[in-house]
Every structure is written in C-alpha cells, then in structure tokens.
Amino acid sequence: MSQIHHLPLADIDATALLRDRLTLDAAALGSLQASILRDGLRQPIEVFAQPGTQPGTQTFALISGLRRFTAFQRLHAQNQADNPATNPANNPARFTTIPAFIHAPQDTAQALALMVAENEIRAPITPWEKGALLQHCLDARHFETLDAATETLFPDLTRQGHSRLRGFALVFAELEGALTDPERLSARRMDRLAVALRAGLGELLHLTLADHRGAGPETQWRALEPVITEALLLPDAPPPETPPNTPRKPGRPRRALHLRSGITLRREWTRNGWIIRINARHSEHPEIVDDILDLVERWFQGE
C-alpha cells in the first residue's frame, strides 16, 4: 500500500494540470467540509512532485482530489478566522496539511489519465467537462491527436465510447461560450449536437443560439431542436431537392443567406417539411414577409 504523506497546503499546486472538473457544486462541497470536520478525511488526495521555484526545493502538483483539497483550504481559512476568545478549541495550525499519496507518473499524459480514472470512480464528470478536457489537452499539445487523447485518458471504453467522446470534444470546441450552463447537457443531447455539427449544420446552430443568447438551457434547446432534427432525419429520409443523378450546384445545400441589408434567412428541415426563418428588424423592414411571399408566388404561379 502506498505511504500516506501529510503535505502542507501551501506546497500543493491545484492548477499544474488541466482539470477535468470545470465547476464545484457548492452544496456538495459544504457537505464534504462537514464530513471532514466530523470524521476526518477518509481518502487522501493524489499528487506528484515537481521542482519548486527555488533551487533544490520541490512542490506538488495535484492529480486527483480537487474537492477534498478545496474543502481543506476553506476549513483552514475558517479556522484561521475563528476568534480564540469565542472558540477556545481553535488551533491555528489545524488543516494546514492534508494527507496525500505521492505518485511518479511518467509524463503529463499519464498524470491526466490518473486524474480521470479517479474521478470516473468517485464522481464522474459531465459530458461537457469531458469534451472540454479533451480539447484543452489538444490545445496544450499533451497529445498529438484526439484519438490518442481519448484512448489514453479513457482506456477502458469501447470504440463506440471513444467515438462518443470525440463528439463531446467537437461540441465543446464549436459551441463554447454560446450555450447557457452547458455542464447540464446530458450525454444524449451532446450526442445529438455532435451529429448536427458533423452534418455541417454548425452555422445554423450558431445563428439559432445568437437569437437566444443568455436564455435558459431548456429555451435554447427547444430552439435548437429543429436544426438537430434536420441532421437526424436527412440521413434516413433525405428530402427530394433534386432528381436522382442530377449534379448539385456548388455550395449546395445552402443553409443560410446573409444579405447586405442585414437580413438573414435560414432554413430548417422538420418532419413536416422545410421552414425558412427570416431574421430582420420589423421597424427597418416592415414589408419583408409580404415581399418574399409575392416573389414566391410569381416564381411558382407566374404573373
């Protein structure tokens, strides 16, 4: 069994590695603090040694146990703030160190894999957080390819599971900053967004979200569903846009049209057929819908 070390909090760097957990639930963290106060820390954190800022010194990079480490930091801060006059049991040195296992990973990739494995056992991270971790690892050049990242960090998954993770990374890379509370997205919804992006509907997703920026997650999802529906329906039942074997014009199908006047038209495929949405300020283009209807009427019915 690995030896448990009691390391000073000040010597532990929680930011040395990319974190797979983007947020810490306040209620869960409060419960953990109460548990530590009552029963102590049941499971040590995991770290690895790294050179310190001064020659001949070392610090420790946090691998797993971010919630436990954060709880200890808060408990230490609270203990320091206690007034000895009102709390005679106050011990200024309490919670200055934390139990830890010290590992010696071969490289950063192995350290990241240890972090992911620990969290998958204790409190799995969300699909959005998994996508974020994979993309951040690529950005930081910890892995050459997305395949290498998924296979190293999640080695126990099947080929289908690795494909799903690559979809999560794609969704994060394409939609970061556009979604409200993306950590609440289920794996199924992340899968559906990945299908839409792989079908080339990224522009439509962004246009739709631009109309609902800052709205709640469910409002945004209801707005996105028609776009996602197109991606899900077209592979099975493509609409008869052109006769078979007819060469398609370059740049088709057109998903959106941006006019110099500021008007944007975009199309959506639903189970009942095509919908064309018109984004235009009514005060600037009050007759836009009538004009379009007149034009369509002339095309298909003549003068």
Side-chain angles (χ1 to χ4, degrees):
M1 181 178 293
S2 300
Q3 181 180 356
I4 298 177
H5 302 263
H6 291 265
L7 303 178
L9 296 181
D11 289 349
I12 299 172
D13 183 0
T15 64
L17 283 181
L18 292 170
R19 306 314 308 178
D20 55 354
R21 197 178 302 282
L22 299 179
T23 59
L24 295 177
D25 181 82
L29 192 59
S31 297
L32 178 58
Q33 289 177 224
S35 173
I36 292 172
L37 278 173
R38 183 179 62 251
D39 304 319
L41 186 66
R42 297 183 178 182
Q43 177 65 27
I45 65 171
E46 296 179 292
V47 301
F48 66 89
Q50 61 182 5
T53 56
Q54 300 298 323
T57 64
Q58 70 176 6
T59 59
F60 299 92
L62 182 67
I63 296 176
S64 67
L66 177 62
R67 293 190 303 168
R68 284 163 277 164
F69 178 70
T70 303
F72 255 68
Q73 285 182 312
R74 295 188 177 187
L75 288 170
H76 175 62
Q78 291 173 6
N79 192 64
Q80 292 289 94
D82 279 345
N83 186 342
T86 59
N87 182 12
N90 178 49
N91 177 5
R94 197 179 184 196
F95 299 115
T96 57
T97 65
I98 186 171
F101 294 125
I102 300 177
H103 294 288
Q106 297 177 353
D107 51 27
T108 300
Q110 187 180 50
L112 288 166
L114 288 171
M115 174 186 66
V116 171
E118 171 74 8
N119 278 338
E120 285 294 281
I121 294 172
R122 297 190 173 278
I125 62 176
T126 67
W128 178 264
E129 289 173 321
K130 290 178 181 178
L133 175 65
L134 290 168
Q135 188 58 46
H136 288 155
C137 283
L138 285 184
D139 294 341
R141 301 183 183 278
H142 292 318
F143 300 95
E144 291 292 329
T145 65
L146 188 54
D147 284 347
T150 57
E151 291 169 8
T152 301
L153 298 182
F154 301 90
D156 297 328
L157 292 183
T158 63
R159 181 180 300 179
Q160 182 180 4
H162 287 149
S163 176
R164 193 179 206 186
L165 287 176
R166 290 194 293 272
F168 294 169
L170 173 63
V171 173
F172 174 82
E174 292 288 338
L175 299 180
E176 181 188 12
L179 292 162
T180 302
D181 294 334
E183 292 85 0
R184 294 172 56 182
L185 285 169
S186 65
R188 181 173 181 271
R189 288 188 172 183
M190 289 284 285
D191 289 340
R192 296 182 71 189
L193 287 170
V195 169
L197 288 169
R198 286 166 172 159
L201 302 181
E203 182 183 15
L204 288 186
L205 292 177
H206 279 286
L207 287 172
T208 302
L209 288 170
D211 293 339
H212 298 83
R213 190 171 299 279
E218 290 304 316
T219 298
Q220 287 187 332
W221 185 257
R222 285 193 297 271
L224 289 171
E225 280 190 307
V227 181
I228 296 170
T229 298
E230 178 179 347
L232 295 175
L233 290 181
L234 288 183
D236 298 324
E241 296 178 339
T242 56
N245 302 321
T246 299
R248 189 186 295 273
K249 294 181 180 179
R252 302 298 176 95
R254 299 180 69 180
R255 307 294 184 186
L257 174 63
H258 305 280
L259 302 178
R260 287 193 297 270
S261 61
I263 297 172
T264 297
L265 293 87
R266 68 177 190 269
R267 71 179 193 176
E268 296 174 2
W269 173 252
T270 70
R271 296 181 186 275
N272 297 320
W274 290 110
I275 293 175
I276 296 179
R277 295 192 180 273
I278 305 166
N279 288 11
R281 294 183 180 178
H282 180 71
S283 59
E284 296 179 5
H285 308 281
E287 306 298 331
I288 180 65
V289 176
D290 286 332
D291 290 343
I292 290 177
L293 291 175
D294 289 343
L295 184 58
V296 172
E297 186 177 33
R298 289 197 297 272
W299 281 343
F300 290 99
Q301 295 189 173
E303 295 293 339

